[in-house]
Each structure stands twice: as C-alpha cells, then as structure tokens.
Amino acid sequence: MKITTFNPLIVTGNAEEVIKHFETLGFEKRHNITVNSGGNDINNTRMKDEAGFYVDVAQVDGVERDMTMIRMNVDDFDEAYNFLLEKGFKNPKGDHTVDTRTNKSACMIAPSGFAFDLCQHIKE
C-alpha cells in the first residue's frame, strides 16, 4: 500500500465559512467535486497554500458540529481498507464504500477514535 496524499479534511455544515477562514491563511481553491455517499451529496473543496500544504473542506448538510478527519489517498483502496480493518479500524457504515467513476472512499475510525477518509483516485 502506498500513501499518495495525506492531509486534514474538515467535514462541516457550513463549508463557505470554513473556506473563507482558510483563504485568510493563504489557501486557494484548487478544485471542487460533489459525490453522493449513499443518500447524502457531499461537496468537497480541495485547497492548497504556497508552501504546498493541502486542506479539504467537505460540505455535508445536517452536520451540527465541524469534524476533522485525515484524508489518506492510497494507490490500492482494497489493500489499505483490509490493512486498516486488521488494525482494528471500523467503517461506521458497515462495508459501504462511496464508488464513483473517479473515486473510491470510506470513512475508517480507529479504535482510539480518530478517523481517516480513505480514498483511491481512479484514473481514466
């Protein structure tokens, strides 16, 4: 398993406000994508600063309080998913994954409570 990117992800009900905060810190929007996670549309904005740091901001309607996760992109989703399961991580949606034309992802929660947004970008 190779990790290709590793950065913070903020899940919020008010992405516009969070994005503005990061823009004041020098981050700029790189791209935006909306995916359906099995009932909810999630609008994800990727941001980057001049030093090369990334932060993602995910708009999820109904989120009462912002949550911080770690986005971990990998080259082989299935290998990484099974590795995390072996380490005691849990997918809070059972075995449900978000599968789109360009992405496969799942939330994985560690036994101690921190969470990864495990992703693999699918190249066309």
Side-chain angles (χ1 to χ4, degrees), residues 16-29 47 49:
E16 190 174 314
E17 183 179 310
V18 173
I19 289 167
K20 285 180 185 177
H21 286 304
F22 279 93
E23 286 174 334
T24 65
L25 294 170
F27 284 82
E28 296 179 358
K29 293 179 190 177
M47 302 180 79
D49 75 355

Side-chain angles (χ1 to χ4, degrees), residues 1-2 72-84 91 95-99 103-108 117-122:
M1 168 185 79
K2 178 182 173 190
M72 182 169 68
N73 286 7
V74 295
D75 65 342
D76 185 327
F77 179 89
D78 294 330
E79 179 184 10
Y81 186 85
N82 289 324
F83 174 83
L84 293 174
N91 179 339
D95 279 329
H96 174 76
T97 59
V98 176
D99 296 286
N103 181 62
K104 184 172 185 177
S105 65
C107 175
M108 299 297 290
D117 176 30
L118 179 64
C119 301
Q120 178 185 355
H121 287 290
I122 300 165

Side-chain angles (χ1 to χ4, degrees), residues 7-16 18-19 22 31-35 41-47 55-63 65-69 71 117:
N7 61 270
L9 163 65
I10 299 170
V11 178
T12 181
N14 190 355
E16 190 174 314
V18 173
I19 289 167
F22 279 93
H31 69 273
N32 184 283
I33 187 168
T34 300
V35 297
D41 281 342
I42 298 174
N43 187 297
N44 191 56
T45 300
R46 186 142 176 87
M47 302 180 79
V55 65
D56 292 346
V57 180
Q59 171 70 42
V60 180
D61 294 335
V63 172
R65 195 162 186 217
D66 293 353
M67 297 180 288
T68 304
M69 301 175 67
R71 177 176 171 174
D117 176 30

